[in-house]
Amino acid sequence: MEEYDDHHEINNFIKVWISAFLSLTYCYFIPAKIPKGKFRFVSLLPVFYLFTFILPFKLTTISLGGGTAFFLTWLANFNLILFSIGKGPLSPSSSNPPISYSRFISTSCLPIKLKNPSSNPENQTTTTTNLAIKGLILGLLTIIYEHKQIIHPSLMLVYYCCYLYLCLELLLAMVAAMVSKLLKLDLEPQFNEPFLSTSLQDFWGHRWNLMVPNILKPTVYDPVRDVSTAVIGRKWAPLPATLSTFLVSGLMHELIFFYFGRVYPTWEVTCFFLLQGFCVAVEIWVKKSAKGAGYRLHPVISRTLTVGFVMVTAVWLFFPQVVRFNGIVRVSNEVAAVVGFFKEVGSTLKWLKMLVFSG
């Protein structure tokens, strides 16, 4: 991959994140001193513009550019919107002291959430083991991709689902691990075995990429639910709130995909998330209507139906856009480039060791 060969992408990556850190430093020292409300929001507008229209276009790879776009355009912007009105993780409650500079920077743009003190320490060992296994599986999938011409197209679509899931989980886990080491924090994992989901609510709200529902709930779901409560009542207010949340998620995914491929959206990704939101809303309606009936599907059946529905609809609406900008091929090449880099480093170290001991 030429971006890695001439180090241009890595140089740009460093420059982008230096710009991001300087911008967030400005947020910590200047807008934080302005009373929450419209004036603080206005003071943040240059940062919103930089994180949305400038920095994401400086990178071209999915591995570096994709993560950067997600962290800055999505997480940082939404956290700063909450910060402008005195809410969210960047605005501690009156009972807590102001957060430190390092905590502000990391919390604003990285997918991290402090672990509950009551969490079982044994879960950490289990999580580490699971991630190691998934890393090996991702390496195996990268090797398998080289022989895709002999694999049935339907199986390749399943392959894409697994590959995307593993790439996302391992990327977010690596970021969380680095932050945990630097800041001495215990952090919650961002994925909670989504293949064990027993409903779409469970999948999207409690298992898949948990940073997204954590950021969309206070910025989209809660405000829409509050407004809807006054119109249609508390019982049914979650329905429009759910649809609105999935709509915003779909639009943000369209924007991220635009950064990836520099191709204009066909809105299939938005349709995918609207379909998921509609089905989650139907789930909510059914559960509220059948409350007290006491009937539940066996977990094996509900898990099969849930994961199967997500995969089938993803193959129909989501993955055509990934293929459109050659996403899987590019990620595979980028992973192979990273593996090749470490092999070269290992060979160099081995040669130096032999040279030293032979001398």
Side-chain angles (χ1 to χ4, degrees):
M1 190 172 58
E2 66 177 7
E3 288 85 356
Y4 281 110
D5 291 341
D6 61 10
H7 301 288
H8 180 69
E9 182 80 351
I10 295 178
N11 288 336
N12 280 349
F13 178 75
I14 294 172
K15 292 176 182 177
V16 163
W17 277 98
I18 289 175
S19 300
F21 287 139
L22 290 175
S23 300
L24 293 171
T25 299
Y26 157 79
C27 296
Y28 182 78
F29 287 105
I30 305 300
K33 310 303 181 185
I34 301 174
K36 63 183 180 181
K38 60 182 179 180
F39 291 112
R40 182 185 290 184
F41 179 81
V42 170
S43 71
L44 293 170
L45 287 178
V47 179
F48 293 144
Y49 182 83
L50 185 68
F51 285 0
T52 306
F53 298 107
I54 303 297
L55 296 184
F57 290 103
K58 299 294 184 182
L59 301 170
T60 58
T61 59
I62 295 179
S63 302
L64 298 180
T68 297
F70 174 62
F71 297 155
L72 298 182
T73 307
W74 197 330
L75 297 186
N77 278 347
F78 278 69
N79 275 324
L80 290 174
I81 289 172
L82 288 173
F83 175 61
S84 70
I85 58 176
K87 295 183 179 180
L90 305 182
S91 302
S93 62
S94 58
S95 60
N96 295 323
I99 63 177
S100 65
Y101 170 76
S102 59
R103 182 76 63 86
F104 183 94
I105 298 294
S106 58
T107 305
S108 61
C109 63
L110 297 179
I112 63 174
K113 181 182 179 182
L114 293 180
K115 182 174 290 186
N116 190 325
S118 62
S119 298
N120 189 342
E122 295 181 0
N123 291 338
Q124 180 64 35
T125 302
T126 302
T127 299
T128 302
T129 303
N130 288 341
L131 289 174
I133 294 173
K134 290 169 183 174
L136 292 174
I137 295 174
L138 180 62
L140 178 62
L141 290 178
T142 302
I143 296 173
I144 291 175
Y145 187 79
E146 298 175 0
H147 308 282
K148 62 181 183 299
Q149 65 276 4
I150 64 174
I151 302 175
H152 193 276
S154 297
L155 290 178
M156 282 304 299
L157 293 174
V158 176
Y159 168 96
Y160 292 152
C161 292
C162 297
Y163 198 93
L164 174 64
Y165 160 55
L166 291 172
C167 284
L168 282 174
E169 179 165 11
L170 292 173
L171 170 64
L172 297 181
M174 285 190 292
V175 172
M178 288 188 290
V179 175
S180 177
K181 292 293 184 183
L182 289 173
L183 301 183
K184 309 298 182 183
L185 299 174
D186 289 326
L187 305 176
E188 294 282 2
Q190 290 304 310
F191 285 83
N192 182 23
E193 312 300 358
F195 49 84
L196 297 179
S197 303
T198 56
S199 69
L200 291 175
Q201 271 187 289
D202 186 32
F203 181 90
W204 292 110
H206 305 289
R207 293 185 178 275
W208 179 265
N209 198 2
L210 299 179
M211 201 69 238
V212 171
N214 287 341
I215 199 68
L216 289 179
K217 185 178 185 298
T219 54
V220 181
Y221 182 88
D222 289 343
V224 174
R225 184 193 57 187
D226 293 342
V227 172
S228 300
T229 298
V231 178
I232 61 177
R234 181 178 297 274
K235 181 177 181 181
W236 302 111
L239 300 183
T242 298
L243 288 173
S244 299
T245 302
F246 276 90
L247 172 62
V248 172
S249 180
L251 294 174
M252 291 304 300
H253 277 84
E254 295 279 13
L255 180 59
I256 298 296
F257 278 16
F258 179 71
Y259 293 144
F260 286 167
R262 308 294 199 266
V263 291
Y264 289 101
T266 60
W267 306 111
E268 288 178 282
V269 173
T270 300
C271 290
F272 167 77
F273 282 98
L274 281 174
L275 176 61
Q276 300 298 317
F278 174 78
C279 292
V280 170
V282 169
E283 274 190 1
I284 294 172
W285 177 79
V286 170
K287 289 177 181 178
K288 288 182 178 294
S289 300
K291 189 175 181 180
Y295 178 75
R296 298 183 66 180
L297 292 173
H298 190 279
V300 173
I301 298 175
S302 61
R303 286 169 182 165
T304 302
L305 291 175
T306 299
V307 177
F309 177 79
V310 173
M311 291 182 66
V312 169
T313 53
V315 166
W316 172 34
L317 294 170
F318 190 89
F319 282 104
Q321 300 310 302
V322 178
V323 174
R324 186 171 169 234
F325 58 77
N326 218 20
I328 300 298
V329 175
R330 290 169 58 190
V331 171
S332 298
N333 290 339
E334 290 164 18
V335 171
V338 172
V339 172
F341 170 77
F342 282 109
K343 284 184 178 179
E344 291 182 6
V345 171
S347 299
T348 302
L349 292 176
K350 183 178 180 181
W351 178 81
L352 289 173
K353 182 179 180 182
M354 293 175 59
L355 183 65
V356 171
F357 282 99
S358 62

